[in-house]
Amino acid sequence: MDFLTKFIKSKKDLSSKSPKGYEYEIKIGLKDITEREFMALPKINNIITTEEILYSVKSSSTVTVREISSDFFIKEKISSKTISKFNAEVVLFLKRRYHKEEGMALRIKRNKERSTISYDKFKIDSTRITSEAHIHYKIKLEVLDDDCEPKLLELILECIRPSTVLQIFKLINKL
């Protein structure tokens, strides 16, 4: 996962050049999370429930404004890369406070129940999201320390999503 080293370098560079209040995050989000995968992660008694309203800004696909308790935050995707081995995506985000403006279109209202397991260099968020009659799950690893070893993150992904690793080994053996 050499590309992760490049993402961390980009984050450092952007952080050093950006004005105060600009925060950058690197997250690895697993795609197509099943309820079984979600339930397999331990739930610590730190479940936080929030109600969010998402808005689109000027028809942008990369900018989403979140309203949480009447505060507005912008989360913009700077760059991303797919990790096909784990059916995941690593993303570098810009996160900052925002002000409500004309032209913000309501996208969706949703409730989130998030449990976080924190380690020194990363954390794992497991989230159940309910919007209207739909429920879906997210599992994300967030890099907290720019000296985090990419191999460690890869091992964590293998622990969370062992089914994809087995499928890859089966495919390799067939070849």
Side-chain angles (χ1 to χ4, degrees):
M1 296 194 340
D2 291 337
F3 60 86
L4 192 55
T5 306
K6 293 176 185 173
F7 270 71
I8 291 170
K9 183 183 179 322
S10 293
K11 177 187 170 199
K12 285 181 183 178
D13 291 345
L14 287 168
S15 295
S16 68
K17 297 175 186 174
S18 295
K20 187 177 180 179
Y22 280 56
E23 183 180 325
Y24 295 91
E25 299 177 336
I26 296 174
K27 292 191 177 188
I28 302 171
L30 296 170
K31 298 179 180 180
D32 306 319
I33 299 297
T34 64
E35 184 177 12
R36 183 177 175 193
E37 286 174 312
F38 177 80
M39 297 306 285
L41 279 176
K43 302 295 179 267
I44 300 174
N45 292 334
N46 67 346
I47 296 174
I48 298 171
T49 303
T50 56
E51 185 174 293
E52 285 188 339
I53 301 174
L54 300 184
Y55 298 92
S56 295
V57 179
K58 298 178 185 171
S59 304
S60 173
S61 62
T62 62
V63 178
T64 300
V65 177
R66 292 185 156 111
E67 180 182 3
I68 305 171
S69 303
S70 75
D71 288 328
F72 293 86
F73 300 92
I74 189 169
K75 196 163 193 179
E76 183 174 359
K77 186 185 286 191
I78 303 294
S79 58
S80 65
K81 180 165 177 49
T82 300
I83 310 171
S84 54
K85 178 179 179 181
F86 299 107
N87 189 21
E89 179 181 37
V90 61
V91 180
L92 174 62
F93 287 106
L94 164 63
K95 183 178 173 184
R96 62 185 166 92
R97 287 199 175 279
Y98 197 74
H99 61 279
K100 190 170 184 176
E101 65 179 38
E102 294 295 320
M104 282 177 37
L106 176 65
R107 282 184 50 196
I108 195 166
K109 292 182 180 183
R110 63 188 191 177
N111 289 315
K112 294 171 71 173
E113 295 175 26
R114 174 178 290 141
S115 179
T116 301
I117 304 169
S118 294
Y119 299 93
D120 287 339
K121 298 183 182 278
F122 65 94
K123 70 178 182 178
I124 302 171
D125 285 337
S126 58
T127 309
R128 178 191 336 256
I129 301 169
T130 308
S131 54
E132 296 173 7
H134 183 57
I135 296 175
H136 66 278
Y137 305 94
K138 288 188 177 183
I139 297 175
K140 291 187 177 182
L141 274 74
E142 182 176 348
V143 179
L144 300 175
D145 185 335
D146 292 343
D147 293 326
C148 189
E149 179 61 43
K151 187 65 180 168
L152 173 64
L153 296 172
E154 188 172 358
L155 291 171
I156 298 301
L157 288 170
E158 286 176 2
C159 291
I160 294 172
R161 188 162 256 180
S163 60
T164 56
V165 177
L166 291 174
Q167 289 169 356
I168 290 167
F169 284 131
K170 286 178 184 176
L171 181 63
I172 290 170
N173 288 335
K174 286 181 182 178
L175 298 174

